[in-house]
Amino acid sequence: MMSHRPFFALTLLGLTTAATFGAPAAPPTLPQDVKGKDGVKAYLLAVEKQCVTATHDLKAAADEYAALVAAHGTTTAAAQAEPQKIADLINRLRDAYQRMDSYGYEYIEGIVAGVPGLQKYDVELDSGIPKAQASSPQDQIAPVVVKHGSVTIDHEGSLNNFLVEPTVFGTNDKFTDGQAKLPGFDQPVKLPKVDVIEGLADYAVDGYARLQKDSEAWQPTNKDCFQAVYNMTPTLADYFDEWKESKKGDSGGRFVAVSRVSDMRGIMSSVKLTWEALDNDVKAKDPALADSVSRGYEQVIAFIDKIDAREQKHPLNIETIDALGSQAKEKADKITVQTAQAAALLGVDVNSK
Amino acid sequence: MAIERSNHADAILLPLPLREGVGGGVHKVRAAFSPLSLRSDSVMNNSTMCVEVSQIALDPFPHPLPQGEGEKKRLAALLVAVLVMLFCVAGVRANPLDSLHSYNEQLDNSLVDYYVDPDTAAQPQPPAELLSVLNPQFAKSIKETSTSKDILPARTGRIHGLLQQAITLKVADAVKAGDLATAKAWRCELSLPRGVSAVEGALLLEQLGGDPAKREDAARLLTREAITWQTTLVRHLLDDAGRSTSGADPMPGRLRERLAEVTTLSNLPQPLLDAAGLKSLPPVDAKSRDDQLAAVYAADWKSLPAAYKPLRKTLESSLPSLLSDKERERKERLLLKLVMLIPREYSAGTREGKVTVALEYREAATFTAQARQLLGELAPLWLAESDAHRDALTNLEDTLGKADEQIAAVAASDDLASTLKGGEKILTGDLGVSLARRGTTADIVEEVMLETRGLLSQSLAAAMNGNWSEAEQRRLEAYTTYDPELEARLLPRDPQLAVDIEHLLLDGLDQPGVKVLLDKRAGGEELQAAYGRVNEALDRATVQLKSDISPSAAVINAASIVLREGLEGLLVIIAIFAGLRGKENAHKRNFFWIGILASAAATAVTWLLSQTVITSLRNYGEIIECVTGIIAIGVLMLITNWLFHQVYWKQWITSLKSQAAGDESTAWTLVTVGFAVGYREGFETVLFLQSLVLDAGGTSIGLGVLIGCLSLLALGFAALKLGLKLPYFKLLMVTALLIGLVLVTFTGGTVRAMQTVGWIPVHKLTPGSWPMWVGNWLGLYNTWESFGGQVLAASVVLGTWRVARFQAKRKSAKRKEEMLAARECAMEASNPLSACDPDHCELMQPDAPVEQIVQIGLPNRQNIDRPIVVQESAVPVVERQDERYSEDDVVTDDEPKFDAAPVEAGRAR
């Protein structure tokens, strides 16, 4: 469980070391003792640093890929001529993406998406949908516009989920150019379009740098933290719905890199960490409530681990998925109502912007 | 520790830890593991300690065994026994909440195991330590369910429902016992479906649960809150079940699980009904329900939707409703008001997709949440009513859900308005909800609170737009909406909160109040924060107002209102009576009594009218208070002036004729004074009691009024009696001082009232707030205007006193001069050698009035031999040796200081 990890300083050291030596993608280490709102900010910045490093790695791999393709004329020609190099570059692109998103951004999404001053980055990088899919004014359209060479990507969804992931994993034909059999891959790999991956890599470098800059300027308050936990906890139920759909294979090319369960774990971990920054203040007013919320988050994380373990063991039938989804939703709904109660106790209004 | 000797010298002692409190008491045990016994004292002292554990009666080895092997076996058996005992002890001491958590987790796991593979799942058994703390009826049901023959999902669903109901009772019991910590801990174990709010209940627990007189109320309200949550949960479960029956993938286990929980939660056992304060619920057609359930369970998956529909309708109709017809009507009206108010708040708080006034935006979101909560409360009734109501409920839920999303996304205010317009049409068109208020106003707390908050929001919006006069007008409207209905009800429940709200609307407490900031033309965050503080206090007031007021509290409050208001008037009455002492003033006293009695009659008439015709006068209570207050201040100033001049003027030396001549004007003055003093207090009393009687009933209030009046009469009688025993001067001085104090207090209160209605601005005198009692009893409020008014009033009082003294001194000096002159004249007149011409001395003229002659102590020349008649009641002239004049020299009836006749000859007395 995430809670049994080393101390915060070691966390930072671990992240830095991993980033420096390009360790394989793995979830970040959550600090055992958050030490208040400043601790939340420190964690946020530490993970963002990893993300920024990953974007640079993505860019480096994209540049090398572009050079190789340019040397051979087309992507398929390059893959035929130098399959191992192309395979390595594809792996590097995917690894960089996972460090940037699945094991990076997803572990701070709870904070970024919940804090009013940083929310816009969540729409841009993760949760925003394509303009074509928006059906009501309330839908959050990702404001991503990428131009590189002959390619223009205009409001076609968030950077991580709608653009980079389908490109590096070849699940959206619009962003790929041919396919090839590559060593180390069981199935033929759809090769990324050069202009697309180059443009997206540039955008990723810029986007995460902006997020990092605004995060450094962020002064966390009780309200920010409550807003984060209050806004993000109900998303567990929403994610479970998406997880259910993904099990049916109707994910539109998304959610294939890592099981969506991993994303849920990341989000809930960062939300739980944010709650821990508030726990002491709430405990001073209502110890039973503070304990109940803390226990609720622990149960949610454990529950996600449990689902993951079960999923790994054997495929889950629809009734089991439905039951698990309901249990998760019940836990998340309860925490949501309780965090609003806790916020009211501390005089924080979670309904304000 | 008692040491017992053993018959066996080779017995073994075990170093076991002390266990106390096991099973409610410590039980000493004789170790029955034969041949275990205690060793001699010498061994005991060195190494071991005796253990006290649960009494056991084990005797596994009744006969002694050979030494070596026997010892080992004894040791093993003892260890086993000790371990068993330790586990038992640990079990008994386990926290029931921990057991509950563990049990819930086991239930969830077993469900999932069942769905993965029914053959591998096992039903977890409820822990004994949990069952032992639950209501016996629920504990029994849970235990029986866990061993019933039904499939595991159905058993688990039912157990979930039973646990929710059992926990609800635990919360209620803990609140009634005053154990708030336990109540909070159990309340955290209740399921909280999406869309409900736990904030109000938490506030209620804090505010009411800590007051022994309100625990029953708090327990009842919290139970109802939990039942409302469970009703919401039932509806969610029915929605989920409906969706799953329409899906392609069969989920029979999930269906049975949900329906079992639904049927359990829909049925309220008697302990829960009692805790919720419900007599009974409408009977449920159990047979139809069971038949429909059986049909659903027997149906194949494809035909399930058809079988499920009637079952859903039956189950929804059987949901417990906590609302009476009157409450239902009120909540529907409130829902309509909210739906109409939300777009106005939102529009005032946003512009072009951005939040411009956070408080307004927040109010829009809060009101939307309140509307959804109301829907949850109304749902059971609507679902049972008709298909139209059922459809309306669904549509309204969709509407409010959409409104929620639009607010969260800061959508255009026109979009939100359009969405909620649809909701308004559903309520007024499909359901026929009307805003017209019918019936009594006894249950209007939420509506009035909503109106108040709406007006405050409008006030803030106006201020943010720079429309200061409109902002002040709306603020005043908000106060006059709140004050007559809610403040009067809040005062007996939480007087400090009632006073605080008034402060927050005016001068503020630790930070500036709304009016202070409006007068300063402050804006932005500071102004919003001030309105926010008022809203927060109104939230707390709402919680307080949900509790009933006990009859004894109503009696006490009514009596204290009558006493408080009456005491002020009593002081004035005593003062006036003190000045009208003596038989010669009996008729004046009668005129005053006429005024008092007339005011009492007018008060009674006002009371009767207040119950029928002039209910709207409540809205003008503050203005009337201002007007009557100004009149009272004027009257008090007159009385004060008159009192001081009574002390220093010698008005008693008048002829009966002049007295009679003055009687007509004096009479009307006294009647007016009596009426003004009496009616002012009477009107305020009517205002306060009017709302209280709607809240607590006529009997309690009537009794309180009677007690208050009798107390006032007793106090008045005692005060008058005591006052009559005092020396006249002392009584006058005391009453003058008291009247002065009353005048200063009145002034403070009247200025406050004028500030409340906006006639006078508000500027804080000192940072922070002043204690409530200084305002209530001394009229001291933390504003320049009220304090300055009081200083002015005190200056007038002191000035009157100084003027009276000065005038008396001047008059005394003049009189002295005249006396001396007259004496010299008289001496000269009797002296043939005197140069004084008596014929030209006007004092010596034959027609010089007797009174004048007497006043100056001169004989009438013409009647020099005629005795000089000195009136018995005259205040003798004081002859002073020096010019200084002090109160000591004021002559009282029984302390004449000077012989009135300087001419001794022929003076008659």
Side-chain angles (χ1 to χ4, degrees):
Chain A
M1 289 228 344
M2 292 299 175
S3 58
H4 299 301
R5 296 294 176 136
F7 292 110
F8 188 50
L10 290 176
T11 305
L12 288 176
L13 183 60
L15 285 171
T16 311
T17 307
T20 305
F21 294 100
T29 303
L30 285 143
Q32 195 175 23
D33 183 7
V34 174
K35 291 192 196 319
K37 295 182 280 292
D38 290 338
V40 174
K41 180 175 174 177
Y43 168 77
L44 175 69
L45 292 176
V47 176
E48 279 176 357
K49 192 172 177 183
Q50 175 187 311
C51 295
V52 166
T53 304
T55 61
H56 288 288
D57 292 344
L58 183 77
K59 173 69 180 160
D63 288 344
E64 287 182 37
Y65 177 81
L68 202 56
V69 168
H72 294 278
T74 64
T75 53
T76 45
Q80 267 184 346
E82 298 192 69
Q84 189 58 57
K85 273 190 181 171
I86 292 291
D88 289 343
L89 285 167
I90 294 293
N91 278 328
R92 278 171 59 188
L93 286 170
R94 290 182 178 184
D95 178 75
Y97 165 75
Q98 287 183 351
R99 282 187 287 117
M100 182 182 82
D101 184 32
S102 306
Y103 299 124
Y105 183 80
E106 295 295 341
Y107 281 80
I108 55 173
E109 182 178 356
I111 301 168
V112 175
V115 172
L118 303 175
Q119 276 169 350
K120 61 180 181 182
Y121 291 107
D122 183 65
V123 177
E124 184 183 358
L125 301 176
D126 193 77
S127 67
I129 61 173
K131 196 173 180 180
Q133 288 184 14
S135 56
S136 77
Q138 287 72 53
D139 288 334
Q140 304 270 4
I141 300 169
V144 179
V145 176
V146 177
K147 288 181 183 174
H148 196 279
S150 59
V151 163
T152 299
I153 301 172
D154 186 359
H155 292 87
E156 293 192 39
S158 65
L159 178 73
N160 294 347
N161 294 326
F162 283 89
L163 303 177
V164 176
E165 185 183 5
T167 303
V168 300
F169 285 91
T171 53
N172 189 337
D173 292 341
K174 190 180 172 187
F175 301 145
T176 59
D177 182 13
Q179 62 180 27
K181 189 81 177 63
L182 296 174
F185 292 88
D186 296 332
Q187 304 289 332
V189 174
K190 290 188 178 176
L191 303 167
K193 277 185 185 169
V194 169
D195 282 337
V196 169
I197 192 61
E198 285 266 77
L200 292 178
D202 287 338
Y203 195 98
V205 168
D206 174 65
Y208 276 87
R210 280 184 282 113
L211 169 61
Q212 189 181 43
K213 189 178 169 198
D214 282 355
S215 299
E216 279 162 3
W218 173 50
Q219 296 299 325
T221 61
N222 271 357
K223 188 173 160 187
D224 288 341
C225 295
F226 268 115
Q227 209 79 63
V229 302
Y230 183 75
N231 289 340
M232 292 309 295
T233 305
T235 61
L236 181 67
D238 299 336
Y239 274 115
F240 258 94
D241 278 338
E242 291 185 17
W243 173 69
K244 272 195 285 186
E245 296 306 312
S246 73
K247 292 291 114 185
K248 296 176 189 173
D250 185 19
S251 59
R254 297 177 290 122
F255 311 141
V256 296
V258 176
S259 162
R260 198 67 178 141
V261 171
S262 170
D263 294 341
M264 287 188 275
R265 185 190 289 117
I267 292 165
M268 281 300 114
S269 297
S270 59
V271 171
K272 176 175 173 282
L273 189 140
T274 309
W275 164 257
E276 284 167 6
L278 300 164
D279 185 40
N280 283 340
D281 289 343
V282 178
K283 201 171 275 217
K285 296 271 185 178
D286 190 338
L289 179 64
D291 286 344
S292 183
V293 175
S294 297
R295 191 172 49 250
Y297 278 119
E298 282 164 15
Q299 286 175 345
V300 161
I301 307 272
F303 190 72
I304 294 171
D305 289 342
K306 188 167 65 177
I307 292 169
D308 199 18
R310 284 183 182 267
E311 204 180 11
Q312 307 267 352
K313 219 191 269 186
H314 43 66
L316 302 173
N317 60 40
I318 195 65
E319 208 164 22
T320 310
I321 291 168
D322 193 74
L324 289 168
S326 291
Q327 288 176 9
K329 184 176 181 303
E330 190 186 313
K331 291 177 197 322
D333 286 344
K334 183 171 176 177
I335 296 173
T336 305
V337 176
Q338 286 183 321
T339 48
Q341 181 185 340
L345 277 178
L346 296 189
V348 175
D349 188 346
V350 292
N351 287 317
S352 62
K353 293 268 183 194
Chain B
M1 293 182 287
I3 296 174
E4 293 179 293
R5 293 199 172 275
S6 163
N7 295 330
H8 295 83
D10 58 349
I12 298 168
L13 288 168
L14 287 178
L16 295 171
L18 205 63
R19 290 280 180 194
E20 290 184 359
V22 169
V26 173
H27 301 282
K28 277 173 72 172
V29 64
R30 281 197 71 124
F33 298 103
S34 177
L36 176 70
S37 65
L38 300 168
R39 294 177 64 178
S40 64
D41 287 343
S42 57
V43 177
M44 283 300 295
N45 291 338
N46 285 342
S47 59
T48 58
M49 62 179 174
C50 188
V51 66
E52 293 180 336
V53 295
S54 290
Q55 191 160 20
I56 55 173
L58 295 175
D59 191 11
F61 308 112
H63 305 289
L65 293 169
Q67 257 191 359
E69 209 172 306
E71 266 191 32
K72 283 181 194 169
K73 284 193 191 261
R74 281 198 294 271
L75 187 59
L78 203 56
L79 278 171
V80 165
V82 163
L83 279 170
V84 165
M85 283 187 289
L86 283 173
F87 275 122
C88 289
V89 163
V92 169
R93 293 182 65 194
N95 185 340
L97 283 170
D98 290 338
S99 302
L100 175 64
H101 301 151
S102 163
Y103 184 47
N104 274 328
E105 196 174 335
Q106 289 168 19
L107 288 170
D108 285 348
N109 287 340
S110 70
L111 264 179
V112 175
D113 288 340
Y114 179 89
Y115 294 130
V116 170
D117 183 354
D119 295 332
T120 62
Q123 179 76 48
Q125 292 306 306
E129 54 275 10
L130 172 64
L131 295 180
S132 67
V133 300
L134 298 181
N135 176 279
Q137 184 176 336
F138 286 104
K140 186 172 172 229
S141 297
I142 291 170
K143 204 166 173 184
E144 285 171 356
T145 304
S146 66
T147 53
S148 72
K149 296 269 186 280
D150 214 340
I151 62 169
L152 189 142
R155 278 182 262 150
T156 306
R158 178 158 164 72
I159 289 173
H160 275 145
L162 288 169
L163 280 173
Q164 287 301 297
Q165 290 175 331
I167 292 167
T168 303
L169 268 185
K170 284 295 297 180
V171 173
D173 289 343
V175 171
K176 285 180 198 169
D179 187 352
L180 293 192
T182 301
K184 286 179 187 176
W186 281 101
R187 186 167 177 266
C188 286
E189 302 305 323
L190 289 168
S191 289
L192 297 170
R194 190 175 284 203
V196 304
S197 169
V199 173
E200 196 174 298
L203 282 177
L204 200 140
L205 194 54
E206 279 299 330
Q207 289 180 239
L208 301 189
D211 184 344
K214 295 176 182 168
R215 282 180 195 154
E216 288 287 335
D217 270 344
R220 179 177 55 83
L221 291 168
L222 287 166
T223 303
R224 288 179 169 232
E225 176 195 56
I227 292 173
T228 305
W229 290 346
Q230 284 148 30
T231 306
T232 307
L233 176 61
V234 162
R235 294 182 52 243
H236 289 176
L237 289 169
L238 288 173
D239 285 342
D240 291 342
R243 270 195 294 274
S244 72
T245 57
S246 307
D249 301 301
M251 291 192 280
R254 291 285 288 147
L255 183 64
R256 295 285 295 268
E257 182 194 334
R258 285 176 172 127
L259 290 177
E261 192 169 353
V262 164
T263 49
T264 306
L265 289 174
S266 302
N267 173 44
L268 293 189
Q270 196 57 46
L272 217 49
L273 286 174
D274 294 339
L278 297 168
K279 290 201 180 105
S280 64
L281 290 174
V284 171
D285 186 354
K287 187 172 181 319
S288 295
R289 183 197 63 201
D290 293 342
D291 290 343
Q292 287 165 351
L293 269 170
V296 162
Y297 294 153
D300 59 87
W301 198 257
K302 281 198 181 131
S303 56
L304 202 49
Y308 180 69
K309 202 169 169 187
L311 171 65
R312 178 171 182 164
K313 204 166 168 177
T314 302
L315 288 171
E316 283 173 343
S317 303
S318 68
L319 286 174
S321 167
L322 307 175
L323 304 176
S324 63
D325 287 344
K326 202 163 61 168
E327 283 171 327
R328 170 191 169 160
E329 192 185 311
R330 183 171 54 81
K331 287 195 185 271
E332 285 175 349
R333 212 164 50 228
L334 192 59
L335 178 60
L336 177 59
K337 278 195 179 175
L338 282 167
V339 167
M340 292 166 71
L341 195 55
I342 292 166
R344 284 215 303 263
E345 298 290 328
Y346 185 79
S347 170
T350 60
R351 194 156 293 147
E352 291 170 3
K354 285 189 177 13
V355 176
T356 51
V357 182
L359 183 65
E360 308 279 7
Y361 175 82
R362 205 152 60 224
E363 288 283 84
T366 305
F367 289 163
T368 308
Q370 276 183 10
R372 294 182 87 167
Q373 180 98 358
L374 280 171
L375 264 191
E377 293 177 53
L378 288 165
L381 287 163
W382 287 1
L383 288 168
E385 180 124 346
S386 67
D387 285 341
H389 279 81
R390 186 189 300 274
D391 293 339
L393 175 65
T394 307
N395 292 335
L396 270 170
E397 282 179 330
D398 291 342
T399 300
L400 288 174
K402 191 173 174 189
D404 235 350
E405 288 172 7
Q406 285 174 322
I407 292 170
V410 199
S413 47
D414 287 344
D415 290 347
L416 181 69
S418 168
T419 301
L420 288 167
K421 198 72 186 166
E424 192 183 323
K425 274 192 191 141
I426 294 170
L427 284 165
T428 54
D430 301 348
L431 303 183
V433 178
S434 161
L435 280 180
R437 204 182 282 180
R438 291 186 287 273
T440 69
T441 54
D443 301 305
I444 44 72
V445 167
E446 283 170 307
E447 281 187 65
V448 175
M449 205 55 92
L450 182 62
E451 277 178 37
T452 305
R453 290 177 80 132
L455 286 163
L456 283 172
S457 293
Q458 288 174 41
S459 171
L460 176 60
M464 298 300 281
N465 287 330
N467 298 328
W468 299 105
S469 61
E470 191 193 333
E472 168 56 22
Q473 193 185 342
R474 292 280 177 264
R475 183 206 65 82
L476 180 58
E477 275 181 53
Y479 180 74
T480 55
T481 302
Y482 155 79
D483 177 54
E485 301 286 5
L486 300 179
E487 188 181 50
R489 286 182 167 83
L490 188 58
L491 273 168
R493 290 169 167 84
D494 191 338
Q496 185 65 58
L497 181 59
V499 168
D500 284 352
I501 291 175
E502 189 179 312
H503 279 291
L504 289 170
L505 284 165
L506 284 177
D507 47 315
L509 295 167
D510 297 325
Q511 284 156 303
V514 170
K515 182 147 170 48
V516 165
L517 293 175
L518 287 178
D519 288 341
K520 266 170 61 177
R521 305 293 190 255
E525 296 281 339
E526 196 184 8
L527 190 62
Q528 288 186 52
Y531 280 88
R533 287 191 286 274
V534 178
N535 282 343
E536 195 227 335
L538 289 175
D539 283 340
R540 286 188 281 129
T542 305
V543 170
Q544 285 290 339
L545 289 167
K546 281 186 188 283
S547 72
D548 291 331
I549 178 170
S550 66
S552 55
V555 169
I556 291 167
N557 274 286
S560 64
I561 286 168
V562 169
L563 260 176
R564 190 181 69 224
E565 299 301 325
L567 215 52
E568 285 176 348
L570 186 63
L571 279 174
V572 178
I573 293 170
I574 291 172
I576 291 173
F577 269 89
L580 294 177
R581 251 186 351 188
K583 290 178 193 168
E584 66 281 7
N585 292 308
H587 63 291
K588 288 183 183 173
R589 292 199 295 273
N590 290 340
F591 285 128
F592 193 68
W593 272 122
I594 290 169
I596 297 286
L597 288 171
S599 75
T603 302
V605 169
T606 307
W607 171 259
L608 288 170
L609 291 175
S610 74
Q611 301 300 302
T612 50
V613 174
I614 54 167
T615 51
S616 59
L617 254 188
R618 275 182 262 155
N619 292 331
Y620 300 98
E622 294 291 338
I623 294 177
I624 291 174
E625 189 183 337
C626 291
V627 171
T628 55
I630 292 168
I631 294 172
I633 288 170
V635 164
L636 283 170
M637 280 192 179
L638 280 174
I639 294 170
T640 309
N641 186 50
W642 174 70
L643 269 174
F644 280 132
H645 281 80
Q646 281 300 107
V647 172
Y648 299 112
W649 280 2
K650 314 309 178 272
Q651 283 186 335
W652 303 119
I653 310 176
T654 57
S655 67
L656 286 171
K657 187 178 172 185
S658 64
Q659 280 181 354
D663 264 349
E664 199 175 316
S665 59
T666 306
W668 281 114
T669 306
L670 288 168
V671 170
T672 309
V673 164
F675 185 84
V677 168
Y679 189 63
R680 182 184 187 272
E681 307 308 333
F683 188 85
E684 278 198 24
T685 306
V686 165
L687 279 183
F688 276 118
L689 291 179
Q690 190 182 32
S691 296
L692 200 58
V693 81
L694 290 171
D695 220 1
T699 311
S700 305
I701 302 307
L703 182 60
V705 168
L706 185 64
I707 292 171
C709 287
L710 288 174
S711 306
L712 263 180
L713 281 171
L715 270 172
F717 183 73
L720 276 172
K721 270 286 192 197
L722 181 69
L724 285 171
K725 288 192 171 129
L726 279 178
Y728 181 68
F729 170 72
K730 281 199 171 64
L731 177 64
L732 281 182
M733 283 306 292
V734 167
T735 49
L737 278 169
L738 285 173
I739 293 297
L741 187 64
V742 169
L743 172 62
V744 170
T745 306
F746 260 32
T747 306
T750 303
V751 170
R752 183 67 166 181
M754 289 197 279
Q755 287 174 318
T756 304
V757 299
W759 291 359
I760 296 180
V762 177
H763 295 88
K764 275 193 90 156
L765 187 57
T766 66
S769 59
W770 293 359
M772 182 174 82
W773 65 270
V774 298
N776 284 348
W777 293 102
L778 300 175
L780 274 171
Y781 297 96
N782 187 11
T783 69
W784 277 105
E785 292 82 3
S786 59
F787 191 72
Q790 288 181 304
V791 167
L792 186 63
S795 304
V796 167
V797 169
L798 289 172
T800 305
W801 173 60
R802 292 302 297 182
V803 164
R805 275 190 63 184
F806 174 72
Q807 286 181 331
K809 182 179 165 183
R810 246 184 34 179
K811 193 156 185 172
S812 169
K814 187 178 169 191
R815 193 182 305 156
K816 185 183 168 187
E817 270 180 28
E818 288 170 348
M819 244 181 52
L820 286 173
R823 183 185 292 181
E824 279 180 19
C825 239
M827 287 173 71
E828 285 293 325
S830 60
N831 182 359
L833 298 176
S834 165
C836 177
D837 180 2
D839 291 330
H840 290 96
C841 175
E842 60 183 31
L843 292 173
M844 301 300 288
Q845 297 312 307
D847 57 353
V850 173
E851 298 86 354
Q852 198 169 357
I853 295 170
V854 169
Q855 275 183 352
I856 60 173
L858 281 178
N860 186 329
R861 166 79 192 234
Q862 293 262 328
N863 303 300
I864 190 124
D865 294 326
R866 193 172 62 191
I868 295 167
V869 177
V870 177
Q871 291 186 11
E872 287 297 329
S873 61
V875 174
V877 174
V878 176
E879 185 181 78
R880 298 268 311 152
Q881 296 303 318
D882 57 22
E883 292 300 315
R884 210 176 68 180
Y885 182 83
S886 76
E887 285 75 11
D888 289 342
D889 297 317
V890 174
V891 181
T892 63
D893 283 338
D894 49 3
E895 292 181 322
K897 292 267 174 106
F898 182 68
D899 192 329
V903 178
E904 294 176 1
R907 185 168 186 272
R909 296 199 179 267

